[in-house]
Amino acid sequence: MTQPSDQGAALDNLLTESRSFPPSEEFAAEANATSALYDEATADREAFWAKQAERLHWDTKWTQVLDWSDAPFAKWFVGGRLNVAYNCVDRHVESGHGDQVAIHWEGEPGDQRAITYAELQREVSKAANALVSLGLRTGDRVAIYLPMIPEAIFSMLACARLGLPHSVVFGGFSAEALRTRIDDAEAKLVITSDGQFRRGSAVPLKAAVDEAVSRTPSVGNVLVVRRTGIDVEWTEGRDLWWHDVVDAQSDVHAPESFDAEHPLFILYTSGTTGKPKGILHTSGGYLTQAAYTHFNVFDLKPDTDVYWCTADIGWVTGHSYIVYGPLANRVTQVVYEGTPNTPHEGRHWEIVQRYGVSIYYTAPTTIRTFMKWGNDIPAKFDLSTLRVLGSVGEPINPEAWIWYRENIGGNRAPIVDTWWQTETGAIMISPLPGVIAAKPGSAQRPLPGIGAKVVDDTGAEVPAGGGGYLVLDEPWPAMLRGIWGDEQRYRETYWSRFAAQGFYFAGDGAKYDADGDIWLLGRVDDVMNVSGHRISTTEVESALVSHPTVAEAAVVGATDPTTGQGIVAFVILRGGVAQDQAKGAEAIKALRDHVAKEIGPIAKPRQIMVVPELPKTRSGKIMRRLLRDVAENRQVGDVTTLADSSVMDLISSGLNTSA
Ligand code: WTA
């Protein structure tokens, strides 16, 4: 495991950052959350969470707030029953807000659709009736492989309404990645579309499902939304058009209630081994924390705000901060299908101006891309409606933070840097925008009701100014309830590192500054963070060695000015290929394509270096730290634990074969 002190030098300058931006008096005066929230949570944590759960409609009230007797398996709101979709949709119609726009949807080609809560209720009901007609029963899993179109949200909510745990697979993942996820969850149905619009053209999507499903025995049907109109292969009896099956249904559906601990979804995320982990989330606690954090961190005013989270529903941010948290809070939000530079680099700002977006939530990698494109682009648009800005996915460097504040937030809108994970289900560490003076680059404090600490190797909390590992020292309502089908891996991955203390190990390095605020320093395990997406080094290595030209491979995440980290692969090619320069160049291209095919384009190495050897310890473990030095053009560090210390010279001298 990498020591936190090994984190890139770029992160060190985070800690010399001393600027601080308190909220304006006007903002603080109107803010949803005041400092009283911290006091309330400290006084009685469980009573605090019980009060937060009152944000939801419960068909049956719980009898116990938290049952931690079977730790690390938590039960929250024991005995309570609710319907998640009812909470996100129907109750807003019943309270007289049926005409409020829930979703301002905008497709990449420019098509638009405003969906009110009343319409959302009808669409979700039709989809739910359709799923019932296909024979799905409570507990059955449904895989969703869709672009950012309204049907993606209808599908998730229809599943939630029926107690069918969904597994959303990001549309950028390959057929192979989709197949392993469908198989692991044994999904009975896959919902997809013919294709999707990407950078101005229609690209196939269903084709990957056809390939995946040919080898997944659990799947009975594939439900296909027509989005682009491109040709698709069709398997009679298995494939069904959404417009045939769903549109024919009644738009009335009575929701039933489910136990608070009923599984809501599985979402796969990269671990330190090749096999992705199916992170399991349940209903009552998850929705409580998603709604509570969305309301307080973004200071949501449901009657006046227009909210926009730019994530894809294939990631947890899309689950918690497009679908569940915001809709539970009766948001009006923008959902945009496409990329930020189609057809021009001001697309996001044009959308902010068009809909009067007031809360905007995105990732540092996107902010750095906007910086690269230039200040003049956002300057052409009216961004004066923006009043809260959010960041998520990786540490945000102070320069990007300041750029965001000045060029997007008009030096006025507070920025919330939100730390959390697929596993935590909802935001854990973030400033409250009306309470805390924000510091560029720091997520600062655990939210009221959340316990987080920075500890050393022994699990002891480090003093102010000290660095170590981030742990969560109290169970929280939206916490994962396990890894699908693998109890042992759940215990080992998160709970074994600090078993004596009973801490959840997040896998992130962190430091306290002199004020005791938390600064996140990136992963300390073999997980890379590329554009805010988690990709494991092992996963990419397995993809590389599955190619016939590769003998051995080692992958590291190297600091990258735009994507946070970039994937750099070191490969040893098999005999014949390695000797031939032209064949070597060809092989590198083939390898990049191969990784894209095995995992998805997001996992394509930025750089592949052909090397004669890999640096290994005497026990055979690859020393990634040294490879990272090479990838980041640094002086190579201590090589004394290498089995053969001349290997690094061999690698450094032969690096002209990179691409
Ligand atoms: C990183 C995304 C620093 C971190 C919601 C974490 C962050 C991983 C931040 C989870 C942040 C996320 N500051 N690092 N504000 N937000 N991370 O599961 O390394 O895709 O462990 O969840 O992203 O990524 P995941």
Side-chain angles (χ1 to χ4, degrees):
M1 183 181 294
T2 318
Q3 292 299 310
S5 57
D6 278 355
Q7 301 298 323
L11 289 168
D12 287 346
N13 68 20
L14 277 182
L15 301 163
T16 57
E17 176 61 51
S18 59
R19 286 169 284 192
S20 155
F21 298 87
S24 70
E25 269 173 38
E26 297 83 343
F27 191 99
E30 299 289 322
N32 289 349
T34 67
S35 62
L37 210 59
Y38 290 102
D39 304 335
E40 225 182 285
T42 315
D44 186 340
R45 248 174 60 82
E46 289 193 15
F48 173 82
W49 282 117
K51 189 169 162 198
Q52 299 311 323
E54 299 286 359
R55 298 174 178 280
L56 308 180
H57 171 86
W58 295 82
D59 297 307
T60 309
K61 204 172 160 178
W62 59 87
T63 51
Q64 190 185 357
V65 176
L66 168 66
D67 177 0
W68 191 229
S69 59
D70 187 27
F73 294 90
K75 287 198 183 79
W76 281 86
F77 307 113
V78 183
R81 295 183 70 83
L82 78 169
N83 185 292
V84 168
Y86 173 84
N87 272 283
C88 292
V89 183
D90 307 58
R91 66 170 170 147
H92 306 319
V93 179
E94 288 170 15
S95 68
H97 297 92
D99 292 337
Q100 179 181 335
V101 172
I103 299 168
H104 285 292
W105 178 77
E106 183 157 323
E108 196 184 77
D111 40 343
Q112 295 170 13
R113 181 172 172 191
I115 301 160
T116 63
Y117 275 97
E119 245 179 294
L120 187 60
Q121 184 183 35
R122 291 193 291 271
E123 295 289 356
V124 173
S125 298
K126 280 195 292 184
N129 285 325
L131 297 183
V132 171
S133 79
L134 294 177
L136 292 159
R137 296 289 171 264
T138 306
D140 289 345
R141 274 81 62 200
V142 175
I144 298 176
Y145 186 65
L146 281 172
M148 290 294 288
I149 54 178
E151 288 81 358
I153 297 174
F154 304 159
S155 298
M156 290 168 76
L157 290 168
C159 287
R161 194 174 186 93
L162 297 170
L164 309 172
H166 55 66
S167 162
V168 182
V169 179
F170 175 55
F173 273 128
S174 67
E176 181 53 22
L178 174 64
R179 185 191 66 77
T180 56
R181 285 159 176 76
I182 292 174
D183 248 359
D184 189 73
E186 296 172 286
K188 287 200 171 162
L189 173 74
V190 182
I191 307 180
T192 190
S193 62
D194 52 355
Q196 59 180 333
F197 290 107
R198 230 45 210 156
R199 298 180 205 286
S201 50
V203 296
L205 199 61
K206 180 173 185 287
V209 178
D210 291 333
E211 194 183 328
V213 167
S214 65
R215 288 170 296 145
T216 53
S218 61
V219 174
N221 288 110
V222 177
L223 188 57
V224 189
V225 178
R226 183 137 69 203
R227 169 62 185 135
T228 59
I230 58 174
D231 283 341
V232 288
E233 305 251 318
W234 205 254
T235 302
E236 283 306 329
R238 184 196 71 188
D239 297 348
L240 304 159
W241 284 113
W242 176 284
H243 54 258
D244 287 339
V245 179
V246 178
D247 290 353
Q249 303 292 329
S250 151
D251 60 11
V252 178
H253 176 269
E256 60 178 299
S257 61
F258 296 100
D259 191 273
E261 287 298 335
H262 189 79
L264 180 62
F265 65 85
I266 305 166
L267 186 58
Y268 287 85
T269 184
S270 290
T272 50
T273 68
K275 190 173 183 275
K277 299 175 288 200
I279 303 300
L280 175 66
H281 282 287
T282 60
S283 303
Y286 170 80
L287 194 62
T288 296
Q289 194 180 330
Y292 154 73
T293 51
H294 180 256
F295 183 78
N296 288 298
V297 172
F298 299 106
D299 191 47
L300 181 83
K301 314 282 196 242
D303 293 324
T304 48
D305 273 319
V306 179
Y307 166 86
W308 182 18
C309 167
T310 71
D312 189 284
I313 48 134
W315 309 110
V316 74
T317 308
H319 283 59
S320 303
Y321 297 104
I322 293 178
V323 181
Y324 293 112
L327 293 175
N329 287 334
R330 187 169 53 81
V331 80
T332 292
Q333 71 177 323
V334 168
V335 173
Y336 169 57
E337 177 185 37
T339 49
N341 53 349
T342 307
H344 59 80
E345 291 170 345
R347 184 70 187 266
H348 274 210
W349 317 127
E350 181 185 88
I351 290 174
V352 167
Q353 177 178 295
R354 172 151 51 244
Y355 299 100
V357 172
S358 54
I359 307 171
Y360 177 81
Y361 189 27
T362 196
T365 183
T366 314
I367 299 166
R368 291 191 296 266
T369 303
F370 292 142
M371 286 172 76
K372 218 165 51 181
W373 290 343
N375 303 2
D376 53 318
I377 293 175
K380 285 184 219 146
F381 298 88
D382 178 6
L383 308 181
S384 63
T385 48
L386 287 170
R387 60 177 207 92
V388 180
L389 301 177
S391 172
V392 62
E394 56 173 313
I396 178 166
N397 43 313
E399 305 74 56
W401 196 101
I402 294 287
W403 186 90
Y404 196 26
R405 181 175 164 91
E406 289 176 351
N407 293 276
I408 309 302
N411 267 319
R412 163 194 82 243
I415 296 179
V416 286
D417 176 4
T418 62
W419 180 91
W420 59 295
Q421 308 178 296
T422 305
E423 292 86 342
T424 69
I427 298 171
M428 303 292 283
I429 306 178
S430 165
L432 286 173
V435 182
I436 306 281
K439 294 178 182 176
S442 171
Q444 298 186 282
R445 286 189 206 175
L447 288 176
I450 299 300
K453 275 188 184 153
V454 183
V455 301
D456 65 16
D457 254 331
T458 69
E461 186 167 18
V462 302
Y469 304 102
L470 182 73
V471 297
L472 304 171
D473 61 343
E474 299 279 0
W476 63 100
M479 70 192 291
L480 74 168
R481 301 301 198 262
I483 294 176
W484 186 256
D486 202 342
E487 179 178 327
Q488 198 46 33
R489 194 174 177 197
Y490 171 61
R491 292 182 190 277
E492 267 162 28
T493 311
Y494 306 106
W495 302 96
S496 65
R497 182 70 180 75
F498 296 104
Q501 298 82 359
F503 294 159
Y504 168 94
F505 174 52
D508 279 33
K511 288 201 178 199
Y512 285 132
D513 65 16
D515 303 329
D517 279 326
I518 297 175
W519 296 69
L520 278 313
L521 301 178
R523 304 288 307 184
V524 293
D525 54 15
D526 293 331
V527 177
M528 299 172 288
N529 189 326
V530 182
S531 298
H533 300 150
R534 278 160 69 171
I535 301 168
S536 90
T537 52
T538 327
E539 216 175 342
V540 181
E541 283 165 6
S542 322
L544 286 166
V545 296
S546 73
H547 194 271
T549 59
V550 176
E552 218 180 330
V555 166
V556 298
T559 305
D560 185 286
T562 306
T563 58
Q565 283 189 313
I567 303 176
V568 179
F570 295 81
V571 299
I572 305 178
L573 295 179
R574 287 183 193 276
V577 191
Q579 261 100 61
D580 185 323
Q581 192 84 71
K583 276 194 192 154
E586 221 173 90
I588 286 171
K589 183 179 177 311
L591 284 178
R592 297 185 75 236
D593 294 345
H594 179 67
V595 174
K597 182 167 181 303
E598 288 291 303
I599 307 173
I602 48 165
K604 247 190 199 184
R606 180 185 82 185
Q607 206 176 3
I608 295 181
M609 304 195 191
V610 177
V611 293
E613 282 300 337
L614 290 172
K616 289 185 185 158
T617 61
R618 286 176 193 87
S619 61
K621 196 174 176 332
I622 293 171
M623 292 192 71
R624 288 203 177 72
R625 171 171 64 77
L626 299 177
L627 293 175
R628 214 176 296 124
D629 288 341
V630 173
E632 294 176 349
N633 292 317
R634 258 198 314 273
Q635 177 85 36
V636 172
D638 182 20
V639 295
T640 50
T641 54
L642 282 182
D644 173 0
S645 60
S646 65
V647 166
M648 288 316 293
D649 296 335
L650 264 177
I651 291 178
S652 308
S653 65
L655 282 185
N656 44 5
T657 38
S658 66

